[in-house]
Amino acid sequence: MNRKLQNLLRRIKTEYAFRTLFFASISFSVSIAFGLFNGAQGILYSSIWNGALAAYYVSLAFLRGGVLYQHKKWKARNATEDTEDGKTELLLQAKTYRNSGVVLLFLQISLSVATAQMIFDNQHFTYAGWTIYGAAAYAFTRITVSIIQIKKVRKHENFTLRAIRTANLADAAVSILALQTALLSTFGSEDVNASLFNTITGIAVSLLTVTLGIFAIVDAHKNIRNIQGINQNNG
């Protein structure tokens, strides 16, 4: 194993912030891939369902990419200007966190369209054969880890990490909705009202996404005011 790979694995294991940003970069690429795939499907089959999913994943990629871009931009600025103004960095992070909340609210629009198509046009996610069991394990692991991490990140005064963890929780909730539609389609019977269950879960996921977006905006705004107050006092 070469030294670069060893160093990468060491940082992933020991550095919480680096680990969060590293996996956020992977999630960004996955969101782009899903967005392009569903966009192509939407055009090919004139499907509003796939078009809405494409908009959702592109919005999610925009959110993650924006956070990562701002983080990289600040690090580059630090490297070239040799600045150690921690309060300025926190202020920029908090503004990025606030913007991520705004994007989450816009993301909810595409999610609502996809949910409506799922309910009224009987659209659903599908998994081939036994892969549905793997998808189930993955979805429940994601939602569990995301809930744990959203609590853990509150202990860190790093708003970039808060923005990423908030986006991850919203995305994990959608994966649970996707799994439910697939399970009801695969194993459901005529006695089970799949539309009702999908409606309830769809509304719950939508409300969670909106709540996360609003909370991010309010939390960021409060911290921006605190940081600006500290800077003015120091000035």
Side-chain angles (χ1 to χ4, degrees), residues 208-229:
L208 174 63
T209 303
V210 170
T211 300
L212 289 172
I214 293 174
F215 179 82
I217 294 171
V218 173
D219 188 34
H221 181 68
K222 179 183 68 175
N223 282 281
I224 288 171
R225 292 186 63 181
N226 290 339
I227 295 167
Q228 289 175 333

Side-chain angles (χ1 to χ4, degrees), residues 104-121:
L104 269 179
L105 296 182
F106 279 104
L107 184 146
Q108 170 56 31
I109 297 174
S110 57
L111 179 59
S112 296
V113 173
T115 302
Q117 289 293 309
M118 174 188 67
I119 294 169
F120 297 114
D121 291 346

Side-chain angles (χ1 to χ4, degrees), residues 33 60 69 105 119 132 148 188 191 231:
L60 192 62
Y69 171 76
L105 296 182
I119 294 169
I132 193 170
I148 293 172
D191 297 330
N231 288 343

Side-chain angles (χ1 to χ4, degrees), residues 2 23 57 69 75 90 117 141 160 203 205 219:
N2 61 53
F23 286 110
Y57 283 115
Y69 171 76
K75 289 301 180 184
L90 273 179
Q117 289 293 309
T141 300
T160 297
I203 291 174
V205 171
D219 188 34

Side-chain angles (χ1 to χ4, degrees), residues 12-161:
I12 291 174
K13 182 179 179 180
T14 61
E15 298 179 27
Y16 179 76
F18 179 82
R19 181 168 64 249
T20 301
L21 294 168
F22 176 80
F23 286 110
S25 300
I26 296 176
S27 297
F28 166 74
S29 301
V30 172
S31 296
I32 287 289
F34 281 171
L36 292 175
F37 173 76
N38 280 285
Q41 293 286 96
I43 295 172
L44 185 61
Y45 299 109
S46 300
S47 169
I48 297 177
W49 161 256
N50 288 109
L53 289 178
Y56 169 78
Y57 283 115
V58 168
S59 298
L60 192 62
F62 177 77
L63 193 165
R64 285 176 170 139
V67 172
L68 291 170
Y69 171 76
Q70 290 299 328
H71 176 77
K72 184 178 180 180
K73 183 179 177 181
W74 176 254
K75 289 301 180 184
R77 180 181 170 184
N78 273 354
T80 56
E81 298 182 8
D82 193 28
T83 176
E84 295 182 357
D85 189 354
K87 295 303 178 184
T88 301
E89 179 178 4
L90 273 179
L91 182 60
L92 293 177
Q93 286 181 1
K95 289 181 177 180
T96 300
Y97 178 36
R98 178 194 60 194
N99 294 341
S100 73
V102 174
V103 175
L104 269 179
L105 296 182
F106 279 104
L107 184 146
Q108 170 56 31
I109 297 174
S110 57
L111 179 59
S112 296
V113 173
T115 302
Q117 289 293 309
M118 174 188 67
I119 294 169
F120 297 114
D121 291 346
N122 194 30
Q123 299 283 358
H124 54 80
F125 290 83
T126 56
Y127 299 95
W130 60 268
T131 59
I132 193 170
Y133 300 106
Y138 175 69
F140 283 112
T141 300
R142 280 192 66 191
I143 194 68
T144 302
V145 171
S146 295
I147 292 172
I148 293 172
Q149 294 294 350
I150 202 74
K151 293 180 178 180
K152 183 177 181 179
V153 80
R154 301 294 301 171
K155 301 176 182 178
H156 292 259
E157 195 180 40
N158 187 319
F159 300 109
T160 297
L161 302 186

